[in-house]
Amino acid sequence: MVVAAPAVRNPTPPFSTDEDGYMTCENVRIRDIQNDMDTSPMYIYSKEQLVNNYKAYEEALKGLPSIIGYAIKANNNLRIVEILKDLGSGAVLVSGNELRVAVKAGMDMTKTVFNGNGKTYQELLYAVKCGCLINIDSEFDLEHIVDAAKEVKKTANVLIRINPNVDPEVHPYVSTGLAGSKFGIRNSHLKWFLERIKEEDVLSLVGVHCHLGSTIKKVDIFKDAAEIMLGFINDIRSEGFDTLKYLNIGGGLGIDYERIGEHIPRPIDLINTIRPQLTEAGLTIIVEPGRSMVGNIAVFVSEVIGVKTSGSKNFIVTDGSMAELIRPSLYDAYQFICLTQPGGSIETFDIVGPVCESADFLGKNRTMPTPVEGSGLAVMDAGAYCYVMASNYNMKPRPAEILVDGDEWRIIRRAETFDDMMSLYDR
Amino acid sequence: MVVAAPAVRNPTPPFSTDEDGYMTCENVRIRDIQNDMDTSPMYIYSKEQLVNNYKAYEEALKGLPSIIGYAIKANNNLRIVEILKDLGSGAVLVSGNELRVAVKAGMDMTKTVFNGNGKTYQELLYAVKCGCLINIDSEFDLEHIVDAAKEVKKTANVLIRINPNVDPEVHPYVSTGLAGSKFGIRNSHLKWFLERIKEEDVLSLVGVHCHLGSTIKKVDIFKDAAEIMLGFINDIRSEGFDTLKYLNIGGGLGIDYERIGEHIPRPIDLINTIRPQLTEAGLTIIVEPGRSMVGNIAVFVSEVIGVKTSGSKNFIVTDGSMAELIRPSLYDAYQFICLTQPGGSIETFDIVGPVCESADFLGKNRTMPTPVEGSGLAVMDAGAYCYVMASNYNMKPRPAEILVDGDEWRIIRRAETFDDMMSLYDR
């Protein structure tokens, strides 16, 4: 029996199901892309969704001086970064190589922030040269920035990363703003940082930064954090730092991975929560969206190798695995999974890959139509923290990335090959 | 104050600490390698330890017909695989690309086993052509093997993967032999498999396979598993399969990650537990060591960027991260960490990388000498399931791998570069 069940739960264009039961991205059937590609699995992106997500931030920030700093760590595909740059986005960077990508994409460096608890000296030299805003994360980080600015002979515009100690109520692995975190300065030591910055002509203190975490679903914690940060800003300004201009509130908005219609705050909900304080303090806001910018723009599409049962459990075995998408295994993360084409009777399955360990699963206990061999399987909301964390575990090549734009699609990063993997043996 | 504390806990040559407090691998100071390399972090391997580990299996198997099938998924470095091949090792393969590495290394294909719950048809064609032993994992897997053997016009020598349902008492992610596992056939369905194999001339049933899991510290479970498997072998032989020759007992021996002198069974302990049964049944044993072959042959060496405190917690921030070594984060795995050179006063630290999330740690609550900036830091026992799972998260390049052999060392896989990462944008 073939069931033309709607594949996508809570289908929100551009990802939808057509009348024949095939999943679509914009105006293209995903199955058609799969048929045309000679490698599997793959990531498929919607340009329309990316543009919509950017515009939601732009709209939310209307009337406020602001920088949208896209967090490249979520997805560093050069073509994605180029589209965001063309829309006017800046970028938040956590490594020298991410900065290289931003430079390659032609980003306006005055809209970039260099971030991180472990910047190397070489990375700092490059960031100062490029003119990025740079977050100070610790005592040693400050000293390294001073040394780099002196070597480059250029003023470094710096922000101080403060730990507001607000609990984002998320998985510990994506919680980053608590007092025991590896990020940010000791607040009790703030005076030392201010004194040290005053001593160094090569440093100009232009702002403060905090980042609460990721997958956040309550905006009131941003309000709490903003109020704490404004307290710090007042303290810092009273020390004579009249160059202070930026409040970097970080990123962290969650997305509707469950696709059960849960209310997830939109960018405008986040910004409106803190708009009055920002205006009153005459600050430029920096936001660092990653997941909420690119999370829902992509699906991870694999092909079913076979269906089996252990007696007590049914398995869909697919050619996609923890090598290409480790979030379910690493964070116990849920991503909705559906077929890209009609299936058979409804059953409950674990969806697993071919990698030789039990950590290799994409989803557990999923009730869905039974696929035939070769069926397409889509893991939704795979735009953020998916491809970027892909490995070659079991020597699986990194998959191709494809961008859909209306009726058209094209490969925006090709699949890795065995020869690519072997190239590291050349000298 | 400089403390020349012994760096390596329970130092076992080839990794040791010299009289000046520097860590050595065979006759080479690790700090000297770090000084000569222009990239960091890196993996450093000891050839001596690799040879010793192989010889321990060879010794244990003396007098028994056997295949040592090194599990390439643990570490696929071509030079490591070549050394093992020269020693006489076979290989266990879980993907077509791993088979390509075995072919490149010149492995004897009669000593290889192709394994996995999700072999693709293309991979099976290649495995049949090469003449690997092939494990049947499920009904659909059997049908795919039949089709592949017919297309190649060559007999496939197959083993049936049976689930002995013995609890290895390890982390659920590395437990693979329980009834609810994604691996292996339904035991109650064995008769169906035997009938199906009889029907197909292109299949020759030559053995049975089981794999309990990984990081196992009690050999009696291997005895339990062997007895269960021998029961199956008797059942199968009584069905007229006189070609049955191999008992593949899998891999899974743990290693002393804690370095507290815990008794970990050696290969000879494992083999002696099951020797009488094997001899009596006239079987050739296949073992699949991965971790116990290469786990303790390497250290992951990074450089300290700085030391900070959040007030409640001290952090050593290093340029090594979850991007290069994800085991602590993924499995909550413990690996011993020490400095590669003398340090200062003894304190307790979390050892973290520069990657922008709280999942990025190498070790927590480690009491050790305080390093100065630039100090070398070694994560021990990093030969298995470390490099193979490395990603480019935060655009960190995959690190160089170095082999030490006596007084000499050389790069056996170079570090990835930014240009390597960009090459996937070429068509």
Side-chain angles (χ1 to χ4, degrees):
Chain A
M1 182 184 68
V2 168
V3 180
V8 184
R9 187 157 71 187
N10 287 324
T12 44
F15 294 102
S16 192
T17 310
D18 69 18
E19 54 194 8
D20 298 321
Y22 285 85
M23 187 176 178
T24 54
C25 174
E26 304 194 15
N27 305 330
V28 180
R29 265 194 190 176
I30 286 177
R31 183 70 251 183
D32 290 347
I33 300 176
Q34 293 186 270
N35 293 344
D36 283 356
M37 289 289 293
D38 53 11
T39 58
S40 175
M42 67 193 80
Y43 282 93
I44 299 178
Y45 296 85
S46 160
K47 183 172 177 183
E48 180 187 328
Q49 187 66 57
L50 176 61
V51 172
N52 288 347
N53 291 350
Y54 182 82
K55 294 216 179 277
Y57 271 99
E58 199 177 46
E59 190 67 29
L61 289 161
K62 246 184 200 155
L64 279 179
S66 64
I67 293 174
I68 300 174
Y70 166 59
I72 286 189
K73 65 181 169 155
N75 189 310
N76 59 46
N77 187 294
L78 181 58
R79 306 308 167 210
I80 301 289
V81 177
E82 284 170 346
I83 292 168
L84 287 169
K85 174 249 158 192
D86 287 343
L87 290 166
S89 186
V92 171
L93 312 157
V94 296
S95 72
N97 285 338
E98 286 192 0
L99 175 50
R100 280 179 193 98
V101 166
V103 168
K104 250 187 191 294
M107 281 255 172
D108 175 353
M109 287 293 129
T110 65
K111 295 191 206 165
T112 61
V113 184
F114 198 75
N115 210 341
N117 68 313
K119 312 171 192 90
T120 66
Y121 188 65
Q122 291 303 319
E123 289 176 326
L124 285 170
L125 287 175
Y126 186 42
V128 174
K129 258 182 219 161
C130 289
C132 307
L133 300 171
I134 302 177
N135 285 334
I136 297 171
D137 189 82
S138 61
E139 290 84 348
F140 73 77
D141 196 37
L142 184 151
E143 300 301 342
H144 296 173
I145 296 167
V146 168
D147 291 347
K150 285 181 178 170
E151 183 169 335
V152 176
K153 296 190 176 54
K154 186 171 168 179
T155 300
N157 292 311
V158 294
L159 292 82
I160 298 180
R161 176 154 182 174
I162 289 171
N163 229 321
N165 202 18
V166 171
D167 186 351
E169 299 174 27
V170 296
H171 190 291
Y173 277 6
V174 289
S175 167
T176 55
L178 290 170
S181 162
K182 73 173 185 175
F183 297 104
I185 68 158
R186 267 180 298 175
N187 300 348
S188 60
H189 218 202
L190 178 61
K191 275 234 151 113
W192 179 90
F193 282 90
L194 298 179
E195 292 305 318
R196 204 53 205 91
I197 290 168
K198 273 185 195 165
E199 284 166 20
E200 295 291 351
D201 288 343
V202 290
L203 296 187
S204 173
L205 181 62
V206 295
V208 292
H209 173 228
C210 67
H211 184 73
L212 302 178
S214 192
T215 69
I216 296 170
K217 294 181 178 177
K218 295 177 184 172
V219 286
D220 47 341
I221 66 161
F222 285 101
K223 193 180 173 190
D224 296 347
E227 274 166 14
I228 291 164
M229 296 300 283
L230 287 168
F232 282 110
I233 287 171
N234 286 337
D235 293 350
I236 295 169
R237 281 181 167 165
S238 70
E239 295 280 333
F241 287 95
D242 47 14
T243 49
L244 210 73
K245 175 178 167 189
Y246 295 108
L247 171 58
N248 184 339
I249 196 78
L253 268 196
I255 63 172
D256 182 21
Y257 280 119
E258 287 78 10
R259 294 195 165 247
I260 49 173
E262 187 184 2
H263 172 72
I264 306 276
R266 299 157 301 166
I268 199 161
D269 301 320
L270 163 60
I271 300 301
N272 283 349
T273 310
I274 54 177
R275 184 184 293 269
Q277 295 94 318
L278 288 168
T279 307
E280 197 188 310
L283 290 165
T284 297
I285 185 170
I286 301 175
V287 289
E288 300 184 337
R291 195 184 311 273
S292 59
M293 188 73 91
V294 296
N296 68 354
I297 73 170
V299 290
F300 174 62
V301 177
S302 60
E303 234 172 59
V304 173
I305 298 174
V307 175
K308 66 182 274 191
T309 181
S310 70
S312 57
K313 225 179 231 261
N314 302 317
F315 296 93
I316 296 174
V317 183
T318 140
D319 60 12
S321 74
M322 70 185 287
E324 299 88 13
L325 202 163
I326 202 172
R327 293 188 69 252
S329 178
L330 181 58
Y331 308 112
D332 201 23
Y334 179 96
Q335 294 182 225
F336 185 72
I337 300 178
C338 54
L339 299 184
T340 68
Q341 63 197 78
S345 61
I346 306 288
E347 306 286 350
T348 299
F349 301 96
D350 280 9
I351 292 131
V352 299
V355 165
C356 270
E357 67 172 277
S358 299
D360 181 35
F361 61 90
L362 296 172
K364 291 193 168 177
N365 289 313
R366 304 300 178 90
T367 300
M368 58 189 293
T370 305
V372 295
E373 287 182 17
S375 287
L377 193 88
V379 180
M380 303 292 294
D381 304 307
Y385 304 106
C386 292
Y387 184 97
V388 289
M389 301 186 85
S391 73
N392 289 143
Y393 194 33
N394 285 201
M395 295 200 72
K396 292 204 80 193
R398 256 88 59 101
E401 294 182 294
I402 285 157
L403 183 71
V404 175
D405 182 10
D407 300 326
E408 310 281 317
W409 63 271
R410 66 191 172 96
I411 296 170
I412 54 171
R413 178 151 51 182
R414 67 172 173 81
E416 217 172 7
T417 64
F418 181 72
D419 287 344
D420 288 325
M421 294 187 213
M422 288 299 114
S423 68
L424 295 178
Y425 294 105
D426 308 334
R427 297 310 301 270
Chain B
M1 182 184 71
V2 168
V3 180
V8 182
R9 187 158 70 189
N10 286 324
T12 44
F15 294 102
S16 193
T17 310
D18 69 17
E19 54 195 7
D20 297 321
Y22 285 85
M23 187 175 177
T24 54
C25 174
E26 303 194 15
N27 305 329
V28 180
R29 266 195 189 173
I30 285 177
R31 182 71 252 183
D32 290 346
I33 300 176
Q34 293 187 270
N35 293 345
D36 282 356
M37 288 290 293
D38 54 10
T39 59
S40 174
M42 67 192 80
Y43 283 93
I44 299 178
Y45 295 86
S46 160
K47 183 172 178 185
E48 179 186 328
Q49 186 66 57
L50 176 61
V51 172
N52 288 347
N53 291 348
Y54 182 82
K55 294 218 180 274
Y57 271 99
E58 199 177 47
E59 191 68 27
L61 289 161
K62 247 186 200 155
L64 279 178
S66 63
I67 293 175
I68 299 175
Y70 166 59
I72 285 189
K73 64 180 171 155
N75 189 310
N76 59 46
N77 186 295
L78 181 57
R79 306 309 166 208
I80 301 289
V81 177
E82 284 170 346
I83 291 168
L84 287 169
K85 173 247 156 194
D86 287 344
L87 290 166
S89 186
V92 171
L93 312 157
V94 297
S95 71
N97 285 338
E98 287 192 0
L99 175 50
R100 280 180 192 96
V101 165
V103 168
K104 250 187 192 294
M107 282 254 172
D108 175 353
M109 288 293 129
T110 65
K111 295 191 205 167
T112 62
V113 184
F114 197 75
N115 210 340
N117 68 312
K119 313 172 192 87
T120 66
Y121 188 64
Q122 291 304 318
E123 288 175 327
L124 286 170
L125 287 175
Y126 186 43
V128 174
K129 259 182 218 159
C130 289
C132 307
L133 299 172
I134 302 177
N135 284 334
I136 298 171
D137 189 83
S138 62
E139 290 84 347
F140 73 76
D141 197 37
L142 184 149
E143 299 303 340
H144 296 174
I145 297 167
V146 168
D147 291 347
K150 284 180 178 169
E151 185 171 335
V152 176
K153 296 190 176 58
K154 186 170 168 180
T155 300
N157 292 311
V158 294
L159 293 81
I160 298 179
R161 176 154 181 175
I162 288 170
N163 229 321
N165 201 20
V166 170
D167 188 350
E169 299 174 28
V170 296
H171 190 290
Y173 277 6
V174 289
S175 166
T176 55
L178 290 169
S181 161
K182 73 173 185 175
F183 298 103
I185 69 159
R186 267 180 297 175
N187 300 348
S188 60
H189 217 201
L190 178 62
K191 274 236 149 103
W192 179 90
F193 282 90
L194 299 179
E195 293 304 318
R196 201 57 202 89
I197 291 168
K198 274 184 194 166
E199 284 166 21
E200 296 291 351
D201 288 343
V202 289
L203 297 186
S204 172
L205 181 62
V206 296
V208 293
H209 173 228
C210 68
H211 183 72
L212 302 177
S214 193
T215 68
I216 296 169
K217 294 180 178 176
K218 296 177 182 170
V219 287
D220 46 342
I221 66 162
F222 285 100
K223 192 179 172 191
D224 296 347
E227 274 165 14
I228 292 165
M229 296 299 283
L230 287 169
F232 282 110
I233 288 171
N234 285 337
D235 292 351
I236 296 169
R237 282 181 166 166
S238 69
E239 295 280 334
F241 288 95
D242 47 14
T243 49
L244 211 72
K245 174 177 168 189
Y246 296 108
L247 171 58
N248 183 339
I249 196 79
L253 267 197
I255 63 172
D256 182 21
Y257 280 118
E258 287 78 10
R259 293 195 165 247
I260 49 172
E262 187 184 1
H263 173 73
I264 307 275
R266 298 158 301 165
I268 199 162
D269 301 321
L270 164 60
I271 300 302
N272 282 351
T273 310
I274 54 178
R275 185 183 293 267
Q277 295 94 318
L278 288 168
T279 306
E280 196 188 312
L283 290 165
T284 296
I285 185 171
I286 303 176
V287 289
E288 301 184 338
R291 194 183 312 273
S292 58
M293 187 73 90
V294 295
N296 68 352
I297 73 169
V299 290
F300 174 62
V301 177
S302 60
E303 234 173 57
V304 173
I305 298 174
V307 175
K308 66 182 274 190
T309 180
S310 70
S312 57
K313 224 179 231 257
N314 302 316
F315 295 93
I316 296 174
V317 183
T318 142
D319 60 11
S321 74
M322 69 186 287
E324 299 89 13
L325 200 163
I326 202 172
R327 294 189 69 253
S329 178
L330 180 60
Y331 308 112
D332 201 24
Y334 180 97
Q335 294 182 225
F336 184 72
I337 300 179
C338 55
L339 300 184
T340 68
Q341 62 196 79
S345 61
I346 305 289
E347 307 284 349
T348 300
F349 302 96
D350 279 9
I351 292 131
V352 300
V355 165
C356 270
E357 67 171 279
S358 299
D360 181 33
F361 61 89
L362 296 172
K364 291 193 168 175
N365 290 312
R366 303 300 178 92
T367 300
M368 57 189 293
T370 304
V372 295
E373 288 183 17
S375 287
L377 193 88
V379 180
M380 303 292 295
D381 304 307
Y385 305 106
C386 291
Y387 184 97
V388 289
M389 301 185 86
S391 74
N392 289 142
Y393 194 33
N394 285 201
M395 294 200 72
K396 295 204 80 196
R398 255 88 59 101
E401 294 182 295
I402 285 157
L403 183 72
V404 175
D405 182 9
D407 301 326
E408 311 280 318
W409 63 272
R410 66 191 173 96
I411 297 171
I412 54 171
R413 179 151 50 182
R414 68 172 173 82
E416 217 173 8
T417 65
F418 182 72
D419 287 344
D420 288 325
M421 294 188 212
M422 290 298 113
S423 68
L424 295 179
Y425 294 105
D426 308 334
R427 296 311 300 269

